[in-house]
Amino acid sequence: MPDRELEISSEGEAQVLIPASSQPPQSQVVAATVDEPDHSYENVDLHENETHYPVLETTFRESGVSVSNFYIKDALGAGTDFESQLRLPLGFDFENTTEPQVLIFHTHTTESYLEYDEGYYHESFYPRNEDETKNMTSVGKKIADSLREKGIGVIHATKVHDSPEYSGAYDRSWDTITKYIEKYPSIKVVLDIHRDSIAGYDGEKVKPVFEVNGKKAAQIMIMAGSDIYDQYGFEDWEYNLRFALKLQECAEEMYPGMTRPLYFGDFAYNMPISRGSLLIEVGTDVNSLQEAQYTGKLLGNVLAKVLQTEG
């Protein structure tokens, strides 16, 4: 990672690392629509004559507000007392039932990863894939499987929301969430699983990693929104923040280095749907699929512990 002060914009397809001093203020993190050609990346041999660009491997650590054993990127800057929020109880009760209490879905379902960990990517690399064994659905499956192994009822919604049209994906995923909650009112935790994209300079891209048992995994970034200006109908946002803080703390206890600084800001996405609703970024587009799937399994372990001890 270059030795310079950088600001990482979150949640979007075309992100650039720019000097923090030149970052314009934003009231809402906005997902950008990118018009890219449809290229296959399944066969490395097809790309032997293409230009390739470096993948910078890094582990995001001490940056932002220090709380407990982790850090927060406080984009809101309104003096939120994170320590106090962390110690308050969750806004929902986790019950001893076979009914589903967790819903996992993907607003940007076709987001995908590199298939090979080679330290570079080719110029035609297109990090979207309709194959659910290679996109966000495969990561969500790992989370769901891990939860089920621990006796937690979970629904994994695999519906594609961002194809064939990217615009309107959040409206479509909102419809999916509400239908499941109407059918299963036992659902309390609603997780939108994405992957990020971090671009450097001169074509570089960044992959955030950590290691567990000598095996590389993709770092996660938990995103918790707020609504202090009453713009989004997100009146219970402090409960969602509380859940995010507990999840972040537990992740660092179980798997040190698993989390990038928690991103807290003025946005809502589909979080107002419940007090246990969060958006979680698993790695970036240049993490390998294997790294992201491994993280999915670990994230399921973390979720299970939080729900079974805090709920």
Side-chain angles (χ1 to χ4, degrees):
M1 194 64 154
D3 184 17
R4 52 199 174 203
E5 185 181 14
L6 298 172
E7 182 82 12
I8 302 170
S9 64
S10 307
E11 184 53 27
E13 280 306 296
Q15 298 176 8
V16 180
L17 294 179
I18 60 176
S21 60
S22 65
Q23 174 93 356
Q26 291 182 308
S27 61
Q28 173 111 2
V29 180
V30 178
T33 302
V34 177
D35 184 15
E36 296 195 50
D38 186 7
H39 291 294
S40 170
Y41 195 72
E42 295 182 357
N43 189 336
V44 172
D45 294 336
L46 296 176
H47 307 278
E48 60 182 355
N49 295 321
E50 290 186 24
T51 301
H52 60 267
Y53 301 94
V55 170
L56 305 180
E57 190 171 292
T58 190
T59 301
F60 292 95
R61 296 186 184 277
E62 301 177 1
S63 176
V65 180
S66 175
V67 178
S68 182
N69 60 355
F70 61 89
Y71 289 82
I72 299 173
K73 176 179 171 53
D74 182 7
L76 187 64
T80 304
D81 188 342
F82 298 112
E83 290 280 2
S84 295
Q85 289 292 330
L86 174 61
R87 303 308 166 197
L88 292 171
L90 291 174
F92 56 87
D93 294 323
F94 188 74
E95 301 173 30
N96 183 16
T97 178
T98 58
E99 291 295 309
Q101 297 185 79
V102 178
L103 172 63
I104 297 168
F105 72 102
H106 314 282
T107 295
H108 296 153
T109 320
T110 67
E111 289 178 333
S112 61
Y113 302 89
L114 279 172
E115 293 189 42
Y116 309 96
D117 181 16
E118 296 181 308
Y120 61 86
Y121 70 97
H122 294 93
E123 62 182 320
S124 65
F125 174 50
Y126 182 64
R128 290 190 172 274
N129 202 314
E130 298 281 349
D131 185 341
E132 66 178 28
T133 67
K134 298 176 181 179
N135 61 26
M136 297 316 303
T137 306
S138 71
V139 178
K141 183 180 185 302
K142 293 294 184 181
I143 301 171
D145 289 347
S146 187
L147 289 169
R148 290 191 187 105
E149 288 173 3
K150 293 165 179 60
I152 295 174
V154 56
I155 291 174
H156 180 206
T158 60
K159 183 175 181 179
V160 176
H161 300 108
D162 61 340
S163 179
E165 186 178 7
Y166 186 89
S167 178
Y170 278 96
D171 292 332
R172 290 187 287 275
S173 65
W174 179 271
D175 290 341
T176 294
I177 301 165
T178 54
K179 287 176 182 176
Y180 275 110
I181 289 179
E182 287 172 4
K183 186 174 182 179
Y184 302 102
S186 54
I187 291 173
K188 301 173 179 68
V189 174
V190 180
L191 301 176
D192 192 359
I193 306 300
H194 293 242
R195 61 108 178 106
D196 205 355
S197 181
I198 306 174
Y201 296 92
D202 300 323
E204 301 166 343
K205 287 198 172 195
V206 178
K207 61 179 286 187
V209 297
F210 69 109
E211 286 193 7
V212 177
N213 297 324
K215 184 177 178 181
K216 282 194 294 189
Q219 278 190 301
I220 65 171
M221 181 171 67
I222 301 171
M223 298 184 65
S226 64
D227 193 9
I228 64 172
Y229 304 114
D230 299 322
Q231 301 176 83
Y232 315 122
F234 191 10
E235 61 184 20
D236 287 341
W237 64 266
E238 288 180 302
Y239 291 99
N240 298 66
L241 172 62
R242 204 175 297 173
F243 179 38
L245 294 168
K246 292 179 184 295
L247 198 60
Q248 184 102 356
E249 182 181 54
C250 185
E252 285 299 318
E253 287 174 353
M254 294 179 68
Y255 308 112
M258 183 175 185
T259 65
R260 293 163 57 184
L262 187 154
Y263 195 102
F264 175 64
D266 179 26
F267 53 83
Y269 297 115
N270 285 338
M271 296 176 195
I273 199 73
S274 80
R275 292 180 173 183
S277 180
L278 298 172
L279 190 155
I280 301 177
E281 306 270 13
V282 179
T284 68
D285 53 352
V286 290
N287 278 99
S288 71
L289 178 62
Q290 292 73 25
E291 290 164 354
Q293 291 175 339
Y294 186 32
T295 294
K297 178 181 178 180
L298 302 177
L299 179 54
N301 294 342
V302 174
L303 281 163
K305 185 172 181 180
V306 169
L307 295 175
Q308 292 173 334
T309 60
E310 296 281 351

